[in-house]
Amino acid sequence: MSDLIIRDGYIVSPQGVTRASIYVSGGKIAAFGEKFDIRGVDVVDASGMYVFPGFVDEHVHFREPGYEWKEDFSTGSAAAAAGGVTTVLEMSNTVPPVADASTLRKKAELVRSKSWVDYGLYGVLTDQSLNNLEEMLEAGAVGFKAFLGPTTGDIEQPSDPTIIEALTLSREKGFTIAFHCENRHLVHHYEQKARREPVSPLSHLHSRPAICEVDSVIKINYYAAKTGGRALIVHLSSGEAVDYLRGNKAPSVFVETCPQYLLLDSNDYQRFGNLIKVNPPIRFPEDREKLLQGLRANVITNIGSDHAPHTLEEKRKNVFEAPAGMFGVELQGPLMVDMALRGRIHLEKVAEVLSTNPAKTFGLYPRKGGLLIGSDADFAIFDPRTPTKIQAAKLHSKHRFTPFDGREILAKHRYTVLRGKIIAVDGEPIGAAAGQWIKHG
């Protein structure tokens, strides 16, 4: 493995922004300094550019096995590399769901040579899989996912005793459980009410009001507080949930939102319709603003893309029949960097919520998510002198459509570096897929 120098960039970490060069040896960060004049070493001239820790997307659905017509590990991970993501954590609602160690191993073998970036694999938490958690952890599961609300694959909701037992085990073993927080019974109730009303672009939003999310958020936060278990509340969407967590978040609870909830709101349904149908739904302008406030105030600790693509034909169905989910892994980094350059958040916050905190949440730090001596040499490098526009046709997912098509981004993503190797230049993956399976701890 050849050495590499990242020369004269602005190094962005949660602690601040400093100008320095980075010397990489053996795929690890070996030193920081002003200059490294070493012959025979590849050099990336990062002068004037921001060098972030490689982004860790803790929330992707690459659909393999079982839904490969929507996405697969090759296309999904290529999109990740193109957007500065160097590690993805892939969800368990595939076919079959990852509910035991054997299924986990088979999935790992299936995707072994396909990923452009390093990857972790979730197991699923249901009543049936509870007794399999330890064997899945030993087999390499990075964490577990519990689907409290209905979603793709219609995974069974774990019972309350199962959740409590799993969180207790989480405290003992140090793993994290990600929770899709929507009360399934309330969702069913409000969806039936919405179906009786005239169909509109807002029908999906009306079918899953904030009460569905807040009810589950309160329960999971309380269970985590009582057990000491590690819980990640994913894709937070409502201002009410932010208000509750602001004064009540348990010490072992992490909270994720996604760029779509920070940048879109109910006013966008008229234009985009089912293209922005996601679970939980994109909500009202006041929710979007409170989510941003929660991010600034550290109530929201993590950003994940919830990359969950479908075909355009599927998205064109009736609002109640079209699947929920949207493209995200390639754009979350550029969108969040753009938010920082527009003054909505600090640059340090980008490194914190896209890299460091996701890695810490799943026990991957400091190998991943940090710019420290000995960390993997994973970098996402952006040039703020070169504004660019998102072009859906140039994205790398199987289905290249996004509501962010045409949006101006105030920095161009120039390089993605994985373990000291350049894997993407100017938004295009280069070389060959060489991602490694990353396991808990």
Side-chain angles (χ1 to χ4, degrees), residues 52-204:
F52 295 90
F55 302 140
V56 179
D57 193 342
E58 66 192 12
H59 193 163
V60 303
H61 300 266
F62 285 169
R63 305 300 197 197
E64 188 173 5
Y67 300 104
E68 287 90 347
W69 70 91
K70 300 173 186 285
E71 190 74 288
D72 61 39
F73 234 89
S74 179
T75 54
S77 64
V85 174
T86 53
T87 304
V88 295
L89 307 186
E90 208 270 337
M91 289 296 176
S92 50
N93 56 331
T94 44
V95 181
V98 182
D100 55 53
S102 175
T103 304
L104 177 69
R105 292 189 189 99
K106 289 177 181 177
K107 182 173 180 176
E109 179 60 26
L110 178 67
V111 306
R112 180 174 57 86
S113 62
K114 299 181 179 182
S115 186
W116 287 82
V117 299
D118 289 349
Y119 58 93
L121 301 175
Y122 283 88
V124 68
L125 173 61
T126 65
D127 290 351
Q128 284 68 40
S129 73
L130 175 63
N131 291 332
N132 300 332
L133 298 189
E134 287 191 74
E135 70 172 40
M136 283 192 278
L137 196 67
E138 292 171 1
V142 75
F144 300 93
K145 176 70 176 287
F147 296 88
L148 306 189
T151 190
T152 299
D154 200 24
I155 303 296
E156 173 197 344
Q157 173 186 344
S159 65
D160 289 348
T162 289
I163 295 171
I164 290 171
E165 290 301 315
L167 282 170
T168 301
L169 185 64
S170 160
R171 182 199 67 225
E172 296 170 358
K173 299 293 184 180
F175 63 82
T176 299
I177 305 171
F179 288 91
H180 176 141
C181 283
E182 286 185 292
N183 182 307
R184 192 172 298 233
H185 302 296
L186 288 176
V187 168
H188 177 75
H189 168 72
Y190 283 105
E191 181 177 325
Q192 293 308 307
K193 289 186 66 174
R195 285 178 179 270
R196 292 193 292 268
E197 299 295 328
V199 174
S200 80
L202 296 177
S203 291
H204 181 62

Side-chain angles (χ1 to χ4, degrees), residues 183-250:
N183 182 307
R184 192 172 298 233
H185 302 296
L186 288 176
V187 168
H188 177 75
H189 168 72
Y190 283 105
E191 181 177 325
Q192 293 308 307
K193 289 186 66 174
R195 285 178 179 270
R196 292 193 292 268
E197 299 295 328
V199 174
S200 80
L202 296 177
S203 291
H204 181 62
L205 172 57
H206 294 158
S207 75
R208 299 171 94 119
I211 190 174
C212 302
E213 176 177 79
V214 176
D215 175 85
S216 288
V217 166
I218 292 172
K219 179 172 77 172
I220 294 305
N221 186 70
Y222 180 71
Y223 287 1
K226 295 298 288 185
T227 63
R230 296 168 61 88
L232 170 65
I233 295 170
V234 298
H235 47 45
L236 198 74
S237 67
S238 68
E240 288 182 58
V242 173
D243 288 342
Y244 167 75
L245 289 166
R246 187 182 296 273
N248 298 285
K249 182 161 68 73

